[in-house]
Amino acid sequence: MADLKATGLTSKGKIPTEPFGDRAISFEPEPGLGEGRMILNFGPQHPATHGTLRLSLELEGEIIVSAKPDIGFLHTGFEKLGENRNYNQFITVTDRMNYMSAMSNNVGFALAVEELLEIEVPPRAQAIRLIMAELSRISDHILCVGLQGMDLGAFSVMLWSFIQREKLYDVFELTSGGRLTTSYTRVGGLAYDLPDGIIPRIKAFLAKVPEIIDEVEYMLSHNRIFIDRTQGIGVLTKENAISYGVTGPMARAAGVDHDLRRDRPYMGYQNYDFDVPVKTEGDAYARYEVRVQEMRESLKILDQALDNLPSGPVNCLGGKVRLPGKDEVYTKMESLIHHFILSMPGHGLETPKGEIYHATESPNGELGWFLVGDGTSIPYRARVRPPSFYNYSAIRTMIEGKPLADIVSVLGSLNVIAGELDR
Amino acid sequence: MSEEKKDVESNDEKSSDFDIDPNPKQEWQTREKVMAEKVAERFELDAPVVFRGQYEFTVEASRIVQILRELKEDEEFAFNRLTDVTAVDYLKLEGYEERFAVLYFIYSYEHKTHLRLRVWVDEDDPRLPTVSGVFGAANWGEREVYDMFGLEFIGHPNLERILLPTNFGSFPLRKDYPLRGRGERDDFPRLRRGEKEDL
């Protein structure tokens, strides 16, 4: 009985003979495995996997003959949850997908629902969302660059970038109340307007960022060890990048000149002046360079956005989309009615019967939402197209035929977020 | 932003250097409309479903591989990226011909246009051909659809579960699968209300 308890099964339950299916580690020699070959499990608990990724590698000496990625350890059923939560409740779930840049996910989802409802938020809300999305891009890239350095032995870069990320999280905390899981946007606006005195604080932070980027570059860009372990390592060709649906900095490092912010502008990106860095090498070093340059471009966008921040409301007013403010609910009959309609079960948002796909450029690539509206306030289907999923699917082309030590360098440059990969 | 638009903007009250282009969608929506007309004419497809300026064609399962291959390889269309593959279970919605639909989102880097193709899949025979020979991205995308909906892609090189454990008994994104409770873990004992687990 004690044994059964230890396995977490009850006497009623059938004990599966193969508790992990194919995932059970087999100690039998693999049939057909040649002389001098071995199977190595890389992950799921390995410091370089940044989350729970597992690669089942077949090695000949230290050369990877074949790699079998095994994902899903962090599967949480977010899409199923999306079919049972209303649109505003689902925003909190989007935080948990790419937890390195939760703001970006919040913004992307809110924009997709607004596309379905065919509404547009006021200019101030758009500008604040854009500022938050770009800040989260800096937060994501600065950490990724730091971790890429750490994986290859440059530990101090990671610590420096973490210090900056903490300061950026202070900004997020002041705006949204949360550091990691922000849940800042709402359908039809924002949870709150910016607090007083936040703009000078963001500017003070941004004034320091170029310094930090310079320092990181000083530590890494001409570092012989870093260059040896990234240049020519993990090469993703342009053909493979396109075929595997790779997007974001990874695709741009491989020569795909595409950025949704420039090519299909949303949220007012067409009004800002910025460049899209593109490299053609496709290796880990190119990905690092693209990320560093994108941070500089984000700084440009942020400077323009902060200087031209419009005033006015941050929520769609008068409609039956966004909850009215508390002062109005307490004083106006109509607002009270709207409040009840929006918050009571069985009522809420009225979505049209239709299906839309809306994509935004998240720090990792194209974050797409496919929403099926059925007339109620709960999506009939909420599909997320996670950038990490398709970015990671190309990993075999980057590591097969290469030495084992390359994997650490490649994984560091991919910035695969397991929460988003497995959802 | 085109030069004309900039001029128009500068004539009215804009004094600062911050130009505002209110509707960038118009440009690509006209482009996608032209593209959709060309696609419909070439492959003799039925009129697309248009919602919010997005075009969606319904295609028979037997033709999907050939159509996607031609859309990818013909330079006139150049839909070279498969953005996503997903499915929808229409069990609880009225007015749809079949239970499952598989959706292919394709994108052309050259023309910067999106297009969506839909294939209906029969409930009793949930099978359709794979497009993983055309797009590398379809390999994992179709595996996820199989994992979540149980639709079989004929000819797929490695059709097994991707996110869930291989011994997971059901397909959780089907609409008859409950959010919680029965069916959640198929190798655990099934309890009723008020029943206590006998440890």
Side-chain angles (χ1 to χ4, degrees), chain A residues 10 22 71 80 83 115-116 118 243 258 263-264 270-271 355 357 366 380-381 383 385 390 423, chain B residues 21 25 28 32 52 54 81 83-84 86-87 89-90 107 118 136-137 144 162 172 175 177 197:
Chain A
T10 63
D22 285 358
I71 64 171
K80 186 77 179 172
E83 296 170 5
E115 176 90 11
L116 179 70
E118 211 174 20
S243 172
H258 187 260
D263 298 330
R264 295 172 75 85
Q270 69 277 10
N271 306 323
E355 310 182 355
Y357 176 80
E366 180 170 336
Y380 185 76
R381 171 104 170 89
R383 159 74 181 169
R385 184 244 184 235
Y390 289 103
R423 304 178 304 296
Chain B
D21 177 6
K25 280 181 193 170
W28 78 68
E32 284 182 356
R52 303 278 185 259
Q54 301 183 3
R81 186 185 81 191
T83 310
D84 198 8
T86 190
D89 178 1
Y90 287 100
Y107 186 71
R118 171 186 295 261
E144 198 188 333
I162 185 163
K175 283 285 175 180
Y177 187 83
E197 211 169 344

Side-chain angles (χ1 to χ4, degrees), chain B:
Chain B
M1 196 192 299
S2 66
E3 288 301 312
E4 290 170 21
K5 274 185 188 165
K6 263 186 186 166
D7 290 342
V8 172
E9 296 275 340
S10 56
N11 285 342
D12 42 66
E13 92 285 2
K14 280 284 150 255
S15 53
S16 72
D17 55 345
F18 192 67
D19 296 335
I20 289 183
D21 177 6
N23 191 8
K25 280 181 193 170
Q26 224 159 21
E27 189 203 336
W28 78 68
Q29 282 182 347
T30 37
R31 216 164 44 209
E32 284 182 356
K33 191 178 175 203
V34 174
M35 181 62 85
E37 281 164 5
K38 272 199 276 184
V39 171
E41 195 189 331
R42 169 75 175 272
F43 297 100
E44 294 169 353
L45 297 170
D46 292 342
V49 175
V50 191
F51 184 72
R52 303 278 185 259
Q54 301 183 3
Y55 289 80
E56 179 189 292
F57 287 103
T58 305
V59 177
E60 300 99 72
S62 53
R63 286 180 75 198
I64 184 72
V65 180
Q66 173 237 335
I67 287 179
L68 278 179
R69 192 183 295 277
E70 277 186 41
L71 284 175
K72 181 191 174 189
E73 284 167 6
D74 195 328
E75 283 182 11
E76 196 184 347
F77 308 115
F79 281 102
N80 44 9
R81 186 185 81 191
L82 181 72
T83 310
D84 198 8
V85 189
T86 190
V88 181
D89 178 1
Y90 287 100
L91 181 69
K92 291 180 181 172
L93 276 190
E94 301 282 316
Y96 290 91
E97 40 187 307
E98 302 279 0
R99 178 166 171 189
F100 297 108
V102 175
L103 296 145
Y104 301 85
F105 303 81
I106 50 178
Y107 186 71
S108 163
Y109 278 124
E110 204 169 305
H111 306 294
K112 299 189 171 52
T113 47
H114 266 298
L115 193 68
R116 196 158 75 217
L117 300 181
R118 171 186 295 261
V119 171
W120 288 106
V121 183
D122 183 29
E123 184 177 4
D124 301 319
D125 181 27
R127 292 189 301 168
L128 69 163
T130 175
V131 298
S132 53
V134 187
F135 296 104
N139 191 326
W140 279 29
E142 290 180 344
R143 273 179 72 186
E144 198 188 333
V145 172
Y146 166 72
D147 198 356
M148 297 295 164
F149 291 92
L151 309 183
E152 256 181 68
F153 291 89
I154 302 160
H156 191 284
N158 180 26
L159 192 67
E160 53 183 58
R161 288 188 181 270
I162 185 163
L163 294 177
L164 298 169
T166 39
N167 62 347
F168 197 85
S170 35
F171 303 109
L173 277 184
R174 288 189 176 187
K175 283 285 175 180
D176 50 3
Y177 187 83
L179 178 68
R180 52 190 159 186
R182 193 168 64 82
E184 201 170 24
R185 297 271 171 86
D186 50 2
D187 43 30
F188 275 24
R190 281 153 199 191
L191 297 175
R192 294 167 60 86
R193 254 177 93 113
E195 226 179 67
K196 276 186 186 164
E197 211 169 344
D198 180 27
L199 280 174

Side-chain angles (χ1 to χ4, degrees), chain A residues 34 108 188 208 215 242 306 350 379:
Chain A
K208 273 193 186 166
E215 276 182 355
I242 293 173
L306 287 169
E350 280 175 19

Side-chain angles (χ1 to χ4, degrees), chain A residues 170-181:
Chain A
D170 287 344
V171 172
F172 287 158
E173 191 181 1
L174 283 169
T175 28
S176 70
R179 291 172 76 81
L180 195 68
T181 51

Side-chain angles (χ1 to χ4, degrees), chain A residues 43 66 76 87 96-97 108 121 164 249 260 277 291 311 319 343 388 391 403 411:
Chain A
S66 77
T76 331
Y87 288 96
R96 276 92 182 152
M97 287 184 186
V121 293
Q164 293 315 308
L260 284 170
R291 285 209 172 85
S311 53
S343 20
S388 287
N391 288 0
L411 278 179

